């Protein structure tokens, strides 16, 4: 019986937007001030074009379940595919608690509560395991999570945009906008903040991780990426502007600036603020779910291929990635305990987790830049339903994509204000090195086990000329 395809174009659009548009970064973008307009329209749009073109070409040319894992395997072989998958999956390990920390900070603002860092840690661990449970269910039944989340993201942003622009018309803007203020000062402060834009616009490949679930990935992947990309740029820009209309730049909390602005505009209506809080909970759940779906689907493919340990190959009859999901829950819990018990506040915890997440997060996409050029050279006759035009433009796109990501990695190593520079960088690099060593050990063991299994299978085959 043929496998039933679960994802139509609308589902792909919702999964893409739910995973790709980072609503928790609106406050971070607004905190840069009016110069965020330049950053979004120049840095953001240019990077988005490069990132989107690469994902559209690779995703439509190789529409196989596993996305970036498949592309890397075809370009550089099993070892690099496994390594890239490890980074991809490890990013989700830290991404889940980071996003849940943001959600709790937002709910504190809405409900007027003070929650200790220990309580935040415990709540995040509980939320992580709820997300793990959702990820162990077939996409046929859980795709509604991303669908509802995408719609609610647009609703919440629309409420903010309408309220923020209306507030500015009635009361004037909280920040002055001028030709000079729109252009950023190219200093270390900008280097530390621009990566936020790159982070918020990366992840277009995520929908290709579940290409095997799509009705027509060759047609629908480029369409979904184009629509989601344009909508994301516009909504990011208008939402950040709305926050700047309502709150002075110096008073914008990177983690809770968006909800702070909503409270200022609609604070007189407790019902409306409460409804927005409920919507945000669902939005964040869908965001987490979307990344878990992509990261665990990729890890499952590598596990089934014997490139990651067998624990990653466990799945249900509906191909839900139970093994990777449970392992992710265990790893996220351990990470949250380490960072949660050493951070002094929720905002500090958010930034520490975001920085660690982002550095790991960018590594697979650096490899993806090289995937494009390698596959163009090694597989020139492959059918490319969407191809970056010209002979030189693909190289330009790949190089620009690499440069943006390399700068972003460096930017996230710049310590936040008030942090001990040496201690911060040592903490970040130490965590990255330890996680990479663990990954290399797991990959090496999986490769050895796979080689032994292949050797045993070869020995078991009847030799030529032997008697059956």
């Amino acid at each position: 019986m043929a496998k039933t395809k679960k994802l139509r174009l609308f589902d792909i659009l919702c999964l893409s937007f739910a995973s790709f548009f980072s609503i928790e970064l609106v406050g971070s973008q607004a905190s840069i001030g009016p110069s965020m307009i330049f950053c979004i329209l120049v840095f953001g749009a240019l990077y988005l074009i490069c990132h989107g073109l690469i994902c559209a070409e690779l995703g439509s040319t190789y529409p196989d379940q596993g996305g970036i894992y498949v592309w890397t395997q075809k370009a550089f072989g099993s070892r690099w595919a496994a390594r890239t998958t490890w980074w991809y999956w490890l990013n989700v390990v830290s991404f889940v608690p980071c996003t849940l920390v943001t959600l709790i900070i937002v709910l504190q603002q809405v409900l007027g509560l003070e929650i200790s860092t220990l309580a935040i840690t415990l709540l995040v661990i509980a939320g992580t395991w709820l997300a793990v449970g959702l990820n162990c269910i077939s996409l046929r039944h859980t795709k509604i999570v991303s669908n509802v989340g995408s719609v609610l993201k647009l609703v919440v942003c629309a409420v903010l945009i309408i309220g923020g622009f209306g507030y500015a018309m009635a009361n004037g803007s909280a920040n002055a906008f001028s030709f000079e203020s729109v252009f950023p000062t190219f200093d270390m402060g900008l280097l530390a903040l621009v990566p936020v834009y790159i982070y918020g616009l990366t992840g277009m490949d995520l929908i290709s991780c579940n290409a095997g679930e799509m009705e027509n990935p060759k047609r629908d992947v480029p369409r979904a990426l184009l629509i989601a990309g344009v909508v994301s740029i516009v909504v990011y820009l208008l939402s950040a502007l709305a926050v700047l209309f309502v709150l002075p730049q110096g008073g914008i909390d990177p983690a809770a600036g968006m909800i702070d602005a909503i409270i200022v505009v609609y604070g007189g209506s407790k019902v409306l603020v409460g409804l927005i809080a409920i919507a945000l909970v669902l939005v964040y759940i869908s965001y987490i779910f979307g990344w878990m779906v992509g990261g665990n689907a990729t890890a499952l493919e590598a596990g089934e291929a014997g490139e990651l340990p067998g624990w990653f190959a466990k799945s249900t009859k509906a191909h839900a990635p139970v093994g990777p999901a449970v392992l992710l829950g265990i790893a996220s819990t351990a990470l949250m305990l380490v960072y949660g018990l050493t951070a002094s506040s929720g905002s500090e915890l958010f930034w520490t987790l975001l920085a660690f997440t982002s550095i790991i997060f960018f590594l697979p996409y650096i490899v993806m830049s090289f995937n494009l050029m390698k596959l163009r050279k090694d597989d020139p006759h492959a059918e490319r339903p969407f191809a970056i035009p010209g002979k030189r433009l693909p190289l330009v796109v790949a190089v620009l994509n690499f440069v943006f990501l390399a700068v972003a990695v460096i930017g996230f190593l710049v310590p936040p204000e008030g942090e001990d520079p040496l201690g911060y960088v040592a903490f970040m690099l130490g965590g990255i090195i330890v996680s990479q060593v663990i990954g290399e050990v797991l990959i090496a063991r999986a490769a050895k086990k796979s080689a032994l299994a292949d050797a045993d299978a070869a020995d078991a085959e009847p030799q030529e000329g032997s008697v059956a």
Side-chain angles (χ1 to χ4, degrees), residues 50-247:
C50 296
H51 179 60
L53 287 173
I54 293 173
C55 292
E57 175 166 327
L58 294 177
S60 59
T61 305
Y62 307 101
D64 304 300
Q65 185 84 353
I68 197 169
Y69 160 76
V70 173
W71 309 337
T72 308
Q73 186 185 54
K74 290 180 181 295
F76 297 106
S78 297
R79 182 57 66 94
W80 269 103
R83 189 174 289 123
T84 302
T85 301
W86 171 251
W87 292 330
Y88 201 80
W89 180 83
L90 190 64
N91 155 66
V92 184
V93 167
S94 49
F95 164 82
V96 171
C98 175
T99 307
L100 287 171
V101 167
T102 312
L103 172 59
I104 294 172
I105 292 173
V106 166
L107 291 179
Q108 283 187 96
Q109 298 293 101
V110 174
L111 302 175
L113 300 175
E114 285 293 332
I115 303 177
S116 68
T117 305
L118 177 60
I120 291 176
T121 300
L122 296 176
L123 287 170
V124 167
I125 291 172
T128 297
W129 284 99
L130 173 62
V132 168
L134 285 174
N135 210 211
C136 293
I137 303 172
S138 169
L139 265 178
R140 181 180 301 178
H141 305 296
T142 56
K143 65 184 182 182
I144 190 173
V145 175
S146 58
N147 292 359
V148 171
S150 290
V151 173
L152 287 177
K153 272 188 184 182
L154 290 174
V155 170
V156 171
C157 288
V159 169
L160 169 65
I161 292 165
I162 292 170
F165 278 72
Y167 181 92
M169 292 177 64
N171 304 287
S173 173
N175 294 279
F177 290 84
S178 65
F179 183 80
E180 292 78 14
S181 68
V182 168
F183 285 90
T185 302
F186 292 87
D187 54 15
M188 290 298 291
L190 180 65
L191 178 63
L193 289 172
V194 165
V196 173
Y197 293 98
I198 307 302
Y199 180 85
L201 293 170
T202 301
M204 283 190 161
D205 65 296
L206 192 69
I207 58 175
S208 292
C209 294
N210 291 282
E213 310 287 350
M214 300 178 189
E215 290 182 348
N216 191 342
K218 290 186 177 182
R219 178 198 66 195
D220 292 342
V221 166
R223 289 184 181 182
L225 294 182
L226 173 63
I227 296 170
V230 172
V231 170
S232 294
I233 284 286
V234 172
V235 176
Y236 271 136
L237 179 61
L238 295 180
S239 298
L241 275 174
V243 174
L244 284 170
F245 287 156
V246 176
L247 301 175

Side-chain angles (χ1 to χ4, degrees), residues 412-426:
F412 271 118
L413 286 173
V414 176
E417 187 175 350
E419 287 275 0
D420 171 42
L422 184 59
Y424 176 85
V425 173

